[in-house]
Amino acid sequence: MNDPRKRTLRVILFLIAILLLYRVLKEDEERLQMTTVTGQTMGTIGYNIKYLQLNPVNFKGSIDSLLRAFNQSLSTYIPDSEISRLNRSDTLVFESALFYPILHASRQVFDETGGAFDPTIGPLVNIWGFGPDKTIQVPDSSTVQSLLTKVGFDLIDFNQSFATKRNGAILDFGAIAKGYAIDRVANFLERKGVENYMVEIGGEVRAKGQNDKGEIWSIGVEDPTVEDNEQKLLAIVKLDEKSIATSGNYRNYYQRDGRTYAHILDPRTGYNSLHRLLSASVFTEECMMADAYATAFMVMGLELTKTFLDKNSDVEAILIYADEDNELRSFVSEGIAEDVIMNKAL
Ligand code: AMP
Ligand code: MG
């Protein structure tokens, strides 16, 4: 027992044990912790936000007030929102910093898609029974033609300070606002120094970095052919410093006299555009752009969308479509292919 070598060995072992314990405790302290914030916005649309921090702070209050300010500017359901006032009067001097960027992005996607995306589509959406008034009455062609005079993004003029409109056009950002709200929340988190997050609002997502398991965030893409209550994932996608937005005619449609009427309309004809393309999941950096393109692609159909993707290297997509034999098929653009795992071979 008095052997000095043994004693030294014991001391050394003791010191090593202390050192190891210290490292374990320190690592634990430095491990990023995940916070999950959930809630509702834009009426009843759910949101789900996850982010990692060393010292977790719950941002629910700030996120909810950010989203309230968002709706107070851009929701057509709020009578005194900026957008509602513009829709009633024909001019608006912007009060928030929110209006100009969404008009600017809308202009870009409207131009790039030859008018397939058009936020002045509202009057037609209403007449087809997909607006606030859900009474379904298939309109006759003269009604559609007369409403077309009010539709067209060229009827809107704007600069960084104000917007004006003509012909009784009205604006509705329903096809782009969810993505924009996601970008605002993501920017807020980044301003707070958060580097790992996943922001989801109503199915659209933007993600950066890793989750609490140290993996890149993965997002599921739903099968457009299954019913609402039995969502099946068709693919899993890894999402880092990217957004995904999906549009489809598989949820919001009705049938009359053997015909299907769906909520995405071709702004140039006034009729819904049903193609073999069943859903378009679009990937861009900003979720606002992905959201707008996804809607546009449903109007453009499979072939025009593929051509568009060929020409635009900053836009990727997973397209789900029915082939000539009505078999489900998928097209995955090259730039996203290595991040996609298909659940079914299509
Ligand atoms: P999303 O789910 O993002 O594809 O948006 C679809 C919603 O946008 C529809 O329910 C309509 O309110 C509106 N919408 C329909 N067709 C268009 C279109 N071609 N361009 C812009 N918005 C549209
Ligand atoms: Mg959209």
Side-chain angles (χ1 to χ4, degrees):
M1 225 28 198
N2 308 348
D3 183 340
R5 275 180 312 176
K6 270 194 181 162
R7 220 173 33 225
T8 318
L9 195 67
R10 270 213 306 271
V11 171
I12 290 176
L13 284 176
F14 180 71
L15 287 176
I16 290 177
I18 297 268
L19 203 70
L20 284 176
L21 190 70
Y22 175 76
R23 286 213 16 209
V24 167
L25 288 174
K26 185 95 184 120
E27 240 175 52
D28 214 39
E29 193 183 295
E30 280 180 4
R31 204 168 290 146
L32 291 166
Q33 315 231 1
M34 187 160 85
T35 306
T36 302
V37 175
T38 57
Q40 283 194 339
T41 183
M42 304 175 184
T44 56
I45 295 176
Y47 71 72
N48 181 13
I49 296 160
K50 295 180 192 295
Y51 52 92
L52 273 59
Q53 291 171 301
L54 277 177
N55 303 304
V57 180
N58 191 314
F59 292 126
K60 171 138 173 95
S62 308
I63 290 170
D64 279 336
S65 69
L66 182 154
L67 292 170
R68 260 196 308 278
F70 187 92
N71 290 328
Q72 192 55 42
S73 173
L74 297 171
S75 170
T76 51
Y77 287 85
I78 299 179
D80 66 345
S81 67
E82 287 191 278
I83 194 166
S84 295
R85 282 182 280 140
L86 172 61
N87 281 341
R88 274 197 305 273
S89 66
D90 285 350
T91 30
L92 174 77
V93 178
F94 304 142
E95 286 160 14
S96 75
L98 290 160
F99 224 103
Y100 174 71
I102 199 171
L103 280 172
H104 186 266
S106 296
R107 176 92 238 172
Q108 183 185 333
V109 181
F110 172 80
D111 287 343
E112 288 175 350
T113 63
F117 168 81
D118 190 331
T120 64
I121 190 96
L124 286 162
V125 172
N126 292 342
I127 201 76
W128 283 104
F130 294 105
D133 178 9
K134 303 263 185 265
T135 353
I136 295 166
Q137 207 175 11
V138 177
D140 58 27
S141 70
S142 63
T143 311
V144 172
Q145 291 313 312
S146 75
L147 284 176
L148 271 178
T149 59
K150 291 173 162 224
V151 172
F153 200 61
D154 288 325
L155 299 170
I156 313 292
D157 283 315
F158 63 94
N159 59 25
Q160 297 210 17
S161 341
F162 65 90
T164 59
K165 58 185 185 60
R166 289 173 282 129
N167 284 20
I170 59 162
L171 276 173
D172 187 336
F173 293 119
I176 183 173
K178 276 193 282 177
Y180 188 30
I182 287 170
D183 290 333
R184 300 300 295 198
V185 174
N187 292 343
F188 164 81
L189 291 174
E190 291 196 12
R191 282 202 306 280
K192 294 287 175 193
V194 176
E195 286 168 5
N196 300 278
Y197 59 78
M198 193 276 309
V199 179
E200 183 254 329
I201 302 181
E204 329 285 33
V205 185
R206 177 167 172 165
K208 183 178 177 185
Q210 301 179 342
N211 62 18
D212 55 341
K213 297 190 191 87
E215 299 156 346
I216 292 176
W217 303 95
S218 351
I219 309 299
V221 175
E222 282 169 23
D223 184 337
T225 58
V226 298
E227 292 301 318
D228 216 357
N229 46 9
E230 45 162 323
Q231 299 169 0
K232 250 192 292 169
L233 294 186
L234 207 70
I236 307 281
V237 191
K238 287 202 165 66
L239 206 67
D240 186 13
E241 295 198 52
K242 271 201 271 298
S243 303
I244 173 173
T246 299
S247 280
N249 277 323
Y250 53 103
R251 290 273 160 75
N252 207 348
Y253 67 90
Y254 60 84
Q255 283 173 319
R256 279 287 177 290
D257 306 324
R259 277 205 57 187
T260 302
Y261 299 95
H263 72 134
I264 297 180
L265 303 169
D266 188 330
R268 297 146 312 184
T269 64
Y271 288 84
N272 66 209
S273 60
L274 286 173
H275 299 283
R276 293 189 289 127
L277 181 57
L278 304 174
S279 77
S281 295
V282 180
F283 303 84
T284 55
E285 191 191 339
E286 287 187 337
C287 201
M288 170 159 71
M289 300 308 280
D291 197 353
Y293 287 130
T295 308
F297 291 169
M298 290 309 297
V299 175
M300 288 156 64
L302 184 65
E303 295 310 322
L304 283 178
T305 299
K306 280 190 185 172
T307 313
F308 182 95
L309 292 170
D310 270 346
K311 288 193 193 139
N312 293 274
S313 57
D314 52 346
V315 186
E316 306 293 339
I318 301 176
L319 308 175
I320 310 293
Y321 62 97
D323 71 7
E324 290 82 354
D325 304 320
N326 239 359
E327 295 287 339
L328 206 57
R329 294 269 175 252
S330 68
F331 169 85
V332 180
S333 67
E334 239 176 77
I336 195 83
E338 64 178 29
D339 297 327
V340 178
I341 304 166
M342 296 300 291
N343 270 349
K344 274 198 246 174
L346 298 178

